[in-house]
Amino acid sequence: QVQLVESGGGLVQPGGSLRLSCAASGFTGFTRAGYAIGWFRQAPGKEREGVSCISSRTGSTYYADSVKGRFTISRDNAKNTVYLQMNNLKPEDTAVYYCATGQISYYYNNNANGMDYWGKGTLVTVSS
């Protein structure tokens, strides 16, 4: 079974940076066409939204408009680990960030219900 374990969340001031990690075990989708691993987030009172993903087959990336230019997703296939480098954080980035796997289209369509596997989440709080 696939297991996803996130880490790296915490409290940072606006303008600060964090790097989230997602350790994936039992995941064979790194070379699967049309499939991705990446991140959703859910802020209090809001729906879960796709943040970023990286294609399992090609390594191409997707970013939500709200994080473009500030967040960078990467992966280390040897370690089965995906990272999300978050720079210039804003208070509106405050959310629980979830690592997830699923079809690439589900990330940019914010289709959280369509995702296959989820981590338990890591909390990112951006506040002064």
Side-chain angles (χ1 to χ4, degrees):
Q1 293 291 326
V2 172
Q3 292 185 347
L4 307 173
V5 181
E6 305 97 330
S7 62
L11 173 64
V12 297
Q13 295 186 358
S17 298
L18 285 173
R19 189 181 74 160
L20 306 183
S21 298
C22 173
S25 62
F27 182 61
T28 60
F30 285 119
T31 60
R32 189 185 308 172
Y35 209 77
I37 186 168
W39 301 87
F40 278 70
R41 69 184 182 186
Q42 188 164 24
K46 298 182 65 177
E47 295 184 352
R48 195 168 297 187
E49 62 178 348
V51 177
S52 180
C53 69
I54 184 165
S55 169
S56 299
R57 183 176 182 179
T58 69
S60 62
T61 58
Y62 159 79
Y63 299 95
D65 289 342
S66 59
V67 306
K68 284 182 179 178
R70 300 188 297 119
F71 291 11
T72 303
I73 192 168
S74 62
R75 68 184 184 191
D76 185 335
N77 288 340
K79 297 180 179 180
N80 288 334
T81 300
V82 176
Y83 305 95
L84 185 68
Q85 179 67 45
M86 306 185 296
N87 297 327
N88 192 24
L89 284 161
K90 303 176 180 180
E92 49 264 46
D93 295 318
T94 296
V96 176
Y97 284 71
Y98 298 91
C99 186
T101 68
Q103 293 294 119
I104 294 172
S105 63
Y106 293 166
Y107 293 88
Y108 58 79
N109 287 326
N110 299 317
N111 187 8
N113 291 334
M115 303 301 291
D116 295 322
Y117 297 99
W118 293 94
K120 294 182 179 180
T122 184
L123 177 63
V124 173
T125 303
V126 185
S127 176
S128 60

